[in-house]
């Protein structure tokens, strides 16, 4: 996404830009592909959710929430619903003369008709500060805004890490029931992800840890910790690895469920904003500098890729240049 409302699509294999989605009003804050990859949903500060056909770029549906900034969006696993987080800070409410004790909300939409199904409240601010004017108090820039959204793989639950520090979990069998709240990531929860079988939820945040929650009993366990706030978390397709993106520019990977470190990658040169695994197990990271990088954690596949680019002699030379402690260079297949 770009700051002027545009969205770029990239070829994952070549790393080349495929094309740019037409500009939209305002600033785009988030985008999400449908599970089958045929649709792209975008949201931003103009209060409109737009769904486009990926092949043509044409808008195939939209929903507008008047006077509301939208911060994050996610498709349900079956592609029939969209969850959209409202992006309202306490400063915004004060400036608009609205009630300070604001309850945030997530909008649940029918992704085909683009009609509102439910408003899911995220609850009141924990400390309910009584602020009467728009001052410079640091506490006024937080709210129960959803930092991210994640559906459980079976589509029966929706999770929203909140900027006020808690994590809201809704049972979508009865969306009218208030969410249960998980505590464990400090004063800011930033991201959440489910294991492929939906039995474990990972959350990250200002406390720099990866918290694992065993569902449905909500038992927490911290398995990994960085040195700066963690912005994003993702599980590999087989659930064997968990990866995090942090403000300290490092991409970290651990094994599940014991939390043993596998890799620490330092190549972006700026804070990391997001991390994801694709369906082949390749790791994708996005930096605050606008860079997107793809990492292959499968040794055999990575060697095959390098061998496709370099001849064996060049590979040997490049390997030796990395250091004498690495031993012999990997052998190219065939």
């Amino acid at each position: 996404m770009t700051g002027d409302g545009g969205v770029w699509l990239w070829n994952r294999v070549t790393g080349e830009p495929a094309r740019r989605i037409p500009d939209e009003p305002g600033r785009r804050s988030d985008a999400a592909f449908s599970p089958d990859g045929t649709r792209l949903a975008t949201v931003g500060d103009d209060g409109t959710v737009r769904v486009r056909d990926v092949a043509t770029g044409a808008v195939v549906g939209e929903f507008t929430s008047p006077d509301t900034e939208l911060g994050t969006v996610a498709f349900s696993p079956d592609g029939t619903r969209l969850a959209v987080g409202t992006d309202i800070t306490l400063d915004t409410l004060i400036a608009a003369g609205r009630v300070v004790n604001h309850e945030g909300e997530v909008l649940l939409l029918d992704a085909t008709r683009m009609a509102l199904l439910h408003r899911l409240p995220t609850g009141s601010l924990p400390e309910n500060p009584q602020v009467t004017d728009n001052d410079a108090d640091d506490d006024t820039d937080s709210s129960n805004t959803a930092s991210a959204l994640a559906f459980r793989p079976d589509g029966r639950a929706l999770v929203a890490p909140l900027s006020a520090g808690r994590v809201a979990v809704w049972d979508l069998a009865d969306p009218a029931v208030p969410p249960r709240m998980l505590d464990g990531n400090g004063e800011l929860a930033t991201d959440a992800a489910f294991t492929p079988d939906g039995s474990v939820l990972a959350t990250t945040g200002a406390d720099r840890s990866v918290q694992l929650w065993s569902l449905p009993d909500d038992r927490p366990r911290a398995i990994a910790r960085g040195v700066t706030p963690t912005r994003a978390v993702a599980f590999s397709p087989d659930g064997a690895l968990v990866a995090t993106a942090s403000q300290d520019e490092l991409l970290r990977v651990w094994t599940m469920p014991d939390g043993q470190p596998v890799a620490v990658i330092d190549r972006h040169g700026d804070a990391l904003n997001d991390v994801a695994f694709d369906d082949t197990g390749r790791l994708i990271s996005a930096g605050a500098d606008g860079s997107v990088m793809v990492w292959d954690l499968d040794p055999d596949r990575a060697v095959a890729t390098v061998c496709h680019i370099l001849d064996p002699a060049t590979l040997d030379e490049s390997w030796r240049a990395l250091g004498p402690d690495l031993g012999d260079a990997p052998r190219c297949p065939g």
Side-chain angles (χ1 to χ4, degrees), residues 127 137 145 166 206 236:
E127 297 181 0
D137 191 315
T145 295
R166 299 176 296 174
S236 60

Side-chain angles (χ1 to χ4, degrees), residues 124-300:
S124 303
L125 290 172
E127 297 181 0
N128 187 21
Q130 298 299 313
V131 183
T132 58
D133 56 11
N134 189 11
D135 59 22
D137 191 315
D138 290 341
D139 290 336
T140 65
D141 65 357
S142 66
S143 72
N144 270 350
T145 295
S147 304
L149 294 165
F151 282 92
R152 199 168 70 185
D154 61 7
R156 296 179 180 177
L158 176 66
V159 170
L162 305 176
S163 56
R166 299 176 296 174
V167 178
V169 182
W170 288 275
D171 182 348
L172 295 183
D174 191 355
V177 175
R180 64 185 192 272
M181 291 292 182
L182 309 180
D183 292 298
N185 286 110
E187 61 192 23
L188 172 66
T190 55
D191 200 17
F194 282 97
T195 52
D197 65 1
S199 65
V200 176
L201 172 70
T203 62
T204 58
D207 69 343
R208 307 180 301 281
S209 73
V210 179
Q211 297 280 350
L212 297 183
W213 305 86
S214 176
L215 302 179
D217 57 9
D218 298 342
R219 288 185 291 108
R221 182 169 67 91
I223 66 163
R225 188 173 295 275
V227 297
T228 61
T230 305
R231 292 181 172 177
V233 62
F235 285 105
S236 60
D238 60 3
L241 300 175
V242 60
T244 59
S246 301
Q247 290 183 5
D248 61 3
E249 306 175 9
L250 298 180
L251 184 64
R252 294 178 173 87
V253 184
W254 292 275
T255 58
M256 282 287 294
D258 53 358
Q260 293 300 307
V262 172
V264 178
I265 302 172
D266 181 9
R267 290 292 185 272
H268 273 276
D270 203 344
L272 296 181
N273 286 337
D274 207 355
V275 63
F277 284 91
D278 69 10
D279 54 5
T280 70
R282 290 180 175 89
L283 190 60
I284 303 170
S285 56
D289 59 357
S291 63
V292 177
M293 298 186 181
V294 181
W295 313 91
D296 202 329
L297 302 179
D298 182 285
D300 295 334

Side-chain angles (χ1 to χ4, degrees), residues 303-323:
V303 168
T305 300
V306 172
C307 289
H308 180 72
I309 300 171
L310 302 176
D311 59 68
T314 305
L315 176 60
D316 283 341
E317 181 180 350
S318 301
W319 188 265
R320 286 194 301 271
L322 293 175

